[in-house]
Amino acid sequence: MTDFNSLIILLIAAVADYLIGDPQNWLHPVQVMGWVITYYTQIFFKYFNQPRILRVAGVFLTLIVVWGSALTVALIRDGIQGLVMRFSGPEILSLAVESILLASCFAGRSLRDSAEDVLYWIDQGDLVTARQRLSRYVGRDTETLSESEILRAVLETVTENATDGVMAPLFYALIGAVLPGVGSVPLTFAYKAASTLDSMVGYREAPYGDIGWFSAKLEDVLTWLPCRLTVITIAILSGKPGYVLTICQRDAIFDPSPNAGWSECAYAAALGVQLGGENSYRGVIKHKPFLGDPQQPITSTTIKKALQLTRYSFLITLGLFTGGFILFNWAN
C-alpha cells in the first residue's frame, strides 16, 4: 500500500469509531483475545498451580496473545491485499478491511456510550437502574452507591480509559503508519492485546498475581509514553497547564498504577474536581489516593466535559499527524 493509504485507513477508522463504534452483537477482536486468555489460564490453574510455573506461564501467555494478535491481523491484511492484486479487485476492499479492524481498537464511541448509558438513568432519577448499568462497566461494587459515588465511578472510568482505550491505541496506530512494512493495524492490535491481558489477569491479588505479572508490567511500559503525552495535551487544553501538571506531580505519584493515576489526575485537575477515595470490591474496602482538589462537585456536565477533552485530544493528535504526514510526503 502507498503511504497515503495508511493515512486514509487512519482517518476512516477514526470517523467509523466516532459515528458507529462497536456494533452490538458483532464479534469483537477483544472477545477472541478474551477467549484465548480464559482458556489458557484455566488450563494452568487446573494443572499447574505452582507460583514459579505460573509466572513463566504468564510470560508465554503474554507473548502468545500479543504476538498472535498482531500476526493474525497482519495475515488477514496481507491475504486481502493478495486477493485484490491477484484478481484485480478494487483496492477499496483492502482499505475497508484494515479500517474496520483499526476502528475496533479505538474505544472512543463505546466509552462515550457507556457513560451516557449511566448518566441517562441518573438524569431520570432512577439510581437503581443507574447502579445496574454501572456494574457493566466497572469492577467495584455498585449496589449501594449514592448518586455522587456513581458519578465519581463514571468519571474515573472515563478518565482512566481515555488513555489505554483511546489515546494509546491512536499512538501506536500513528507509529505503525510510519514504520515500513508494519502498518497501523498489527501494532495497534498488539497494544490492544496487552491492554486486554492487563484488564483480565493483571492483578496483584490471587489467583492472577503470578500468571498476570508479566502482562501487567508490559502494559505499564507500553502505556507510559502515550499517557504522559495525553496528560500534557489535557493540561494544554485546560488553559492552565502549569496547574494541571503541578497537581499531577503532587497526587498521581501516590497511585499504585504508573499510568491510570496520571490520566485520572490530569482530568481531575483540568475539571476542578477530586477523584479517588474508598471503593468496595467484592465486599472488600480499598482506598485509592485522592487526585485533584474538590473545587466543585462531579456532575453529568463534568463527565461530558471529560469526554469532550478526550475527543479534542484525539482530534488534535490525529490532525497534527495528518498535517505532518502530508507535508513530509509533499517535501519528499
Side-chain angles (χ1 to χ4, degrees):
M1 280 197 175
T2 65
D3 286 341
F4 276 97
N5 279 352
S6 298
L7 179 60
I8 291 170
I9 291 167
L10 274 167
L11 296 176
I12 293 176
V15 172
D17 176 64
Y18 179 78
L19 295 178
I20 303 173
D22 299 321
Q24 292 185 355
N25 302 321
W26 282 32
L27 179 65
H28 195 281
V30 170
Q31 290 178 275
V32 179
M33 295 176 192
W35 294 338
V36 174
I37 295 167
T38 299
Y39 181 74
Y40 185 100
T41 53
Q42 286 178 345
I43 290 176
F44 274 87
F45 285 152
K46 184 175 182 179
Y47 298 106
F48 309 98
N49 56 4
Q50 297 92 336
R52 288 185 178 179
I53 293 179
L54 290 177
R55 289 177 70 83
V56 174
V59 175
F60 282 101
L61 170 63
T62 303
L63 295 176
I64 289 170
V65 176
V66 172
W67 284 106
S69 298
L71 180 60
T72 299
V73 295
L75 290 174
I76 292 173
R77 177 198 62 189
D78 295 345
I80 295 295
Q81 290 179 12
L83 289 173
V84 168
M85 294 177 63
R86 181 175 181 180
F87 297 103
S88 300
E91 191 174 16
I92 192 173
L93 176 61
S94 56
L95 287 173
V97 171
E98 286 197 64
S99 299
I100 292 171
L101 288 171
L102 185 58
S104 71
C105 295
F106 297 149
R109 178 60 185 259
S110 60
L111 190 60
R112 184 170 80 248
D113 288 347
S114 300
E116 291 176 349
D117 181 32
V118 179
L119 294 180
Y120 172 81
W121 295 105
I122 290 179
D123 293 340
Q124 297 299 311
D126 188 347
L127 294 186
V128 173
T129 304
R131 295 184 189 107
Q132 293 172 346
R133 297 288 186 175
L134 178 64
S135 66
R136 299 180 178 183
Y137 313 119
V138 300
R140 72 191 69 181
D141 301 330
T142 64
E143 294 83 359
T144 61
L145 295 183
S146 65
E147 180 176 334
S148 62
E149 290 172 326
I150 294 173
L151 289 168
R152 175 169 68 86
V154 174
L155 186 56
E156 288 175 349
T157 299
V158 164
T159 56
E160 177 182 352
N161 288 290
T163 292
D164 57 19
V166 181
M167 298 305 296
L170 176 62
F171 174 84
Y172 285 102
L174 300 182
I175 296 297
V178 298
L179 289 179
V182 178
S184 294
V185 176
L187 197 61
T188 310
F189 261 78
Y191 174 78
K192 199 69 178 179
S195 179
T196 302
L197 277 162
D198 181 59
S199 65
M200 291 187 65
V201 300
Y203 300 98
R204 297 180 180 179
E205 298 83 4
Y208 299 112
D210 291 314
I211 202 167
W213 75 276
F214 187 75
S215 57
K217 292 292 184 182
L218 177 64
E219 200 274 344
D220 285 345
V221 171
L222 294 178
T223 307
W224 192 92
L225 181 55
C227 178
R228 270 61 188 177
L229 293 174
T230 301
V231 168
I232 293 171
T233 305
I234 295 299
I236 294 171
L237 287 173
S238 72
K240 45 186 179 182
Y243 171 76
V244 172
L245 295 176
T246 298
I247 296 300
C248 286
Q249 292 171 342
R250 185 193 72 184
D251 296 343
I253 58 174
F254 295 106
D255 194 279
S257 168
N259 298 309
W262 283 85
S263 182
E264 291 182 35
C265 193
Y267 281 88
L271 297 168
V273 299
Q274 186 175 73
L275 299 177
E278 288 189 351
N279 297 324
S280 174
Y281 297 89
R282 298 181 182 180
V284 178
I285 301 296
K286 295 184 179 180
H287 183 85
K288 291 189 64 177
F290 289 113
L291 305 171
D293 296 320
Q295 300 172 3
Q296 55 189 1
I298 299 171
T299 64
S300 295
T301 301
T302 309
I303 295 169
K304 291 174 183 177
K305 288 181 179 178
L307 290 167
Q308 188 178 60
L309 282 172
T310 302
R311 186 160 58 251
Y312 288 167
S313 298
F314 187 96
L315 290 174
I316 288 172
T317 303
L318 183 58
L320 290 173
F321 176 85
T322 300
F325 192 95
I326 293 173
L327 286 174
F328 177 82
N329 280 276
W330 176 77
N332 291 274

